[in-house]
Amino acid sequence: MKEIKTEQRCILFAMLILALYLSPLFILQENAHIRVHDNLDSNIAWYRVLARSGEMFGGVQGVIPQIINGMLSRNAFGTEFSIIVWLHYFFPTMIAYGLSQALTRFVAFFGMYLLLKKHLLPGEKWVIINIMASLAFALTPFWPSGMLSTLGMPLALWAFLNIRNGEGSIKDYVVLTLLPFYASIVLGFFFFLSAMGIFWLTDVIRKKRWNFPFLLSIIYMTFVFLLVEYRLVYSFLFKGEPNSRDEYFHAELPLWRVIRLTFKNYVFGHTHVMTVHTFVILPATLIAMYLVISKKLWKQEKIFVFLFGLNFILSLWYAFWFYEGWLPLTKKFHFMDTFNFARYHFLRPLVIYASFALALKIISLQGFSWSRIAKGLAIMQIILLCGFNDEIIYRDKPTVKEFYAEDLFQEIKEYVALPQEDYRVASIGIHPAIAQYNGFYTLDTYNNFYPLSYKHQFRKIIEKELEKNKTIKKYFDKWGGRCYIFTAQLGKKYMIKKDSKRHLKNLELNTNVFKEMGGRYIFSALPIDNAEQNQLSLERVFESKNSAWKIYLYKTF
């Protein structure tokens, strides 16, 4: 009874820390600082565009009229069966964002805790370590629109291991059924489910039995994902016209850079699956590995040893996916370019934090003082992760309100005084997602899945600028997900704040093509010195105290 009360108190304390961690989102709301990259500059604006498009349940051949002249497929915005889409449909942006963060982090905590308590560190002795490791896992600065794609893996693994061990129940199948509605198969679970398939196969070879319940549970969750992600399945099976991913080329790194990238990823991680493991977890696991080697604990700690090795292999695989030696295969099998198999490294948050918990156990077993060190390491990791709160690490970035600058763009809309669907705009020096969020119809966009013909047509607008800057030429031609009006002078800078004193000089745009595509206005974050040469006239300059940007409104003539 005493142990149960200790467990409940510790869990309650963990929930309190999580609530405090999330509180800035709910207290500050639009005045909060959150991630810009692959968040404010894309996904959050997409949810708003989709909600207003009338295409929430649009057919598989449907399009989003507001973006790139209606050539952006409805399928590019994902499934309507994703809960995050509906959060943004029913709630204001920051309420939806806060709820999504809360849901993801609480599920991450309980998923990891159930996994550790039942399968990796059972017994009352390890309750505190299990709770601290689970809390640390739940505090990781995950990619927001990934939802439970990585942070839901421990809960799924808990359910699969229950079924594998012959202890499966209705709750396990409920987990396997619900997770696909708040996760993405391409942002995590394809790799997790294929890993489960390999796990099942090794069981068959080692134990000489088929374990059909385990196999069927893997097939079942895969089937649910395919139903939920039916738009993705359709786009894969019925390819249609070439799209921008057909010009994505990844196999270009020489061997020495691959080796460097392996260790960089192993030590520092990746922006889309940030684990913040460098300063505490990595030393803890290395100490534990040293103890395993020195005390010959291979048999007792075989799970830790396996996870320790797997962690490095995942970094190695991630880096080698970009090795130039793949080039002959990518030319022969085009899907190797269009599908990012490097994302097996998305398994690393699960692997790293499960390893961390096991490492703390190994360290604790060395004696009383070591036990205190283990708990100290767990506390240090939690404090470190609290320092990675969005409000701290993005404090120098614009707030959500400053980023989307709704009052400023409302002024522009009123100045133009035309229905927004009657003209097209593009942006220079700011993300097109800002204009999209404010209802403008844009020729530029950030999407990984749009017609290749449109990319080539848009390229003509910026052709001369690309020729002057090798970095943006490669960035656009070999990827092109950011279909932006790039300039040689700004390069890959597209967040020019209103306090900038710079001017755009010697700009060379093909404004005729811009006009042929329906373009009428350009929102520039900087004044264009040779605007007249580009058949542009400055209409007015817009500025607001609630905006991070100063917008120079140019009109074609």
Side-chain angles (χ1 to χ4, degrees):
M1 184 64 73
K2 184 182 176 182
E3 288 80 5
I4 293 172
K5 284 184 178 179
T6 301
E7 179 183 27
Q8 290 173 342
R9 281 199 299 268
C10 288
I11 289 174
L12 252 143
F13 185 68
M15 294 301 97
L16 177 62
I17 292 175
L18 270 180
L20 289 171
Y21 185 91
L22 292 164
S23 62
L25 296 175
F26 294 97
I27 295 169
L28 299 173
Q29 294 194 33
E30 285 192 328
N31 293 312
H33 296 84
I34 63 174
R35 178 185 174 122
V36 173
H37 177 63
D38 285 350
N39 194 36
L40 284 174
D41 68 352
S42 48
N43 295 76
I44 290 178
W46 298 346
Y47 300 137
R48 186 175 172 108
V49 168
L50 179 60
R52 294 183 306 198
S53 68
E55 291 293 327
M56 185 72 83
F57 293 100
V60 290
Q61 299 286 353
V63 296
I64 303 296
Q66 190 183 334
I67 299 177
I68 61 173
N69 282 331
M71 294 182 70
L72 184 67
S73 168
R74 164 64 186 85
N75 296 346
F77 276 5
T79 179
E80 63 271 36
F81 296 120
S82 174
I83 296 171
I84 196 169
V85 168
W86 289 102
L87 286 175
H88 282 268
Y89 183 85
F90 285 117
F91 297 103
T93 294
M94 285 310 292
I95 295 294
Y97 188 84
L99 290 172
S100 178
Q101 284 275 317
L103 176 60
T104 303
R105 293 187 186 283
F106 282 107
V107 172
F109 172 82
F110 285 106
M112 180 60 83
Y113 183 61
L114 288 171
L115 175 66
L116 293 175
K117 183 181 178 181
K118 179 71 183 289
H119 298 289
L120 297 181
L121 282 176
E124 300 299 333
K125 185 177 181 180
W126 307 116
V127 164
I128 293 176
I129 281 179
N130 285 343
I131 290 172
M132 288 196 292
S134 301
L135 176 59
F137 178 71
L139 290 172
T140 53
F142 69 99
W143 181 34
S145 289
M147 304 163 286
L148 289 168
S149 301
T150 53
L151 269 68
M153 287 181 188
L155 185 60
L157 182 57
W158 168 77
F160 278 129
L161 290 176
N162 290 342
I163 295 166
R164 173 182 177 262
N165 296 343
E167 301 170 350
S169 66
I170 188 69
K171 66 178 181 295
D172 300 306
Y173 286 94
V174 168
V175 165
L176 301 185
T177 303
L178 293 181
L179 274 174
F181 291 89
Y182 211 68
S184 165
I185 194 166
V186 295
L187 297 176
F189 268 90
F190 170 86
F191 312 100
F192 177 81
L193 288 167
S194 56
M196 287 299 99
I198 295 168
F199 187 21
W200 172 81
L201 191 59
T202 56
D203 266 0
V204 171
I205 295 168
R206 286 170 52 245
K207 299 181 179 180
K208 304 291 189 284
R209 65 185 185 91
W210 291 91
N211 199 341
F212 284 111
F214 184 28
L215 174 62
L216 291 173
S217 67
I218 298 168
I219 294 170
Y220 171 73
M221 191 180 197
T222 304
F223 179 70
V224 176
F225 259 115
L226 294 179
L227 286 179
V228 170
E229 302 263 20
Y230 75 97
R231 292 182 183 277
L232 181 68
V233 175
Y234 178 87
S235 298
F236 184 77
L237 294 178
F238 304 98
K239 192 171 183 300
E241 67 173 304
N243 63 71
S244 56
R245 290 200 69 81
D246 291 321
E247 283 189 348
Y248 170 57
F249 305 103
H250 70 274
E252 60 179 17
L253 294 185
L255 184 59
W256 73 268
R257 287 190 62 189
V258 167
I259 294 169
R260 187 179 71 175
L261 183 59
T262 298
F263 286 96
K264 181 182 176 183
N265 182 261
Y266 179 73
V267 174
F268 298 109
H270 187 277
T271 181
H272 286 150
V273 281
M274 288 182 68
T275 45
V276 196
H277 65 279
T278 309
F279 301 109
V280 178
I281 295 179
L282 184 58
T285 53
L286 290 172
I287 290 168
M289 195 64 201
Y290 169 77
L291 292 169
V292 168
I293 295 169
S294 63
K295 295 178 180 290
K296 297 181 172 56
L297 303 173
W298 304 101
K299 196 170 183 181
Q300 301 96 305
E301 304 299 342
K302 59 184 178 182
I303 296 175
F304 171 76
V305 172
F306 169 74
L307 293 175
F308 186 91
L310 179 61
N311 183 29
F312 185 78
I313 289 168
L314 290 171
S315 288
L316 184 69
W317 171 255
Y318 164 75
F320 264 88
W321 184 247
F322 301 98
Y323 176 46
E324 61 188 4
W326 286 106
L327 202 55
L329 281 175
T330 61
K331 287 179 178 177
K332 190 172 182 181
F333 302 105
H334 187 53
F335 72 90
M336 291 180 69
D337 264 330
T338 56
F339 190 83
N340 191 353
F341 285 96
R343 286 179 176 163
Y344 271 103
H345 76 105
F346 279 23
L347 295 169
R348 290 191 74 216
L350 165 62
V351 171
I352 286 171
Y353 278 84
S355 300
F356 183 45
L358 292 172
L360 294 178
K361 181 204 80 170
I362 294 167
I363 293 168
S364 292
L365 289 172
Q366 306 312 305
F368 179 73
S369 296
W370 284 94
S371 178
R372 295 176 68 178
I373 289 170
K375 286 172 184 170
L377 287 168
I379 292 167
M380 285 170 61
Q381 180 64 17
I382 290 166
I383 292 170
L384 177 63
L385 286 163
C386 287
F388 273 75
N389 187 290
D390 281 3
E391 200 55 44
I392 297 172
I393 60 173
Y394 299 121
R395 64 187 180 277
D396 294 328
K397 302 292 184 184
T399 64
V400 176
K401 188 173 188 175
E402 291 169 338
F403 185 86
Y404 286 126
E406 290 184 77
D407 56 346
L408 181 76
F409 283 89
Q410 180 63 28
E411 268 191 72
I412 297 173
K413 177 186 172 183
E414 290 170 2
Y415 175 83
V416 173
L418 290 170
Q420 286 175 301
E421 63 270 19
D422 287 355
Y423 59 96
R424 303 292 180 267
V425 307
S427 302
I428 297 176
I430 62 168
H431 294 284
I434 298 167
Q436 292 166 2
Y437 187 90
N438 285 286
F440 290 94
Y441 283 57
T442 69
L443 294 179
D444 47 355
T445 191
Y446 176 15
N447 285 99
N448 286 328
F449 184 75
Y450 65 95
L452 188 60
S453 59
Y454 187 88
K455 177 185 172 182
H456 291 165
Q457 185 184 19
F458 189 89
R459 191 188 190 282
K460 293 175 184 177
I461 300 172
I462 56 173
E463 186 172 19
K464 290 183 178 179
E465 291 297 309
L466 295 183
E467 290 303 319
K468 292 187 283 185
N469 186 315
K470 290 180 181 178
T471 300
I472 57 172
K473 182 179 181 182
K474 179 183 176 182
Y475 191 59
F476 186 86
D477 289 344
K478 292 198 172 185
W479 180 51
R482 293 192 190 271
C483 189
Y484 286 18
I485 293 192
F486 288 110
T487 70
Q489 184 180 334
L490 297 180
K492 289 165 65 176
K493 293 177 182 174
Y494 17 73
M495 277 183 56
I496 309 297
K497 293 184 181 180
K498 61 186 177 185
D499 57 359
S500 175
K501 305 300 181 187
R502 302 176 70 181
H503 285 228
L504 280 171
K505 302 172 182 178
N506 305 316
L507 183 65
E508 293 183 88
L509 300 180
N510 190 331
T511 322
N512 290 328
V513 174
F514 180 71
K515 288 190 286 187
E516 285 168 14
M517 295 172 72
R520 186 177 295 189
Y521 293 98
I522 285 180
F523 300 158
S524 178
L526 295 173
I528 302 172
D529 286 353
N530 62 333
E532 195 170 329
Q533 282 180 244
N534 288 277
Q535 301 176 51
L536 297 170
S537 64
L538 179 62
E539 293 284 291
R540 186 173 157 184
V541 181
F542 295 84
E543 192 172 359
S544 164
K545 66 177 182 179
N546 294 322
S547 168
W549 331 112
K550 181 188 288 185
I551 299 299
Y552 296 81
L553 180 66
Y554 287 93
K555 185 178 181 181
T556 58
F557 61 80

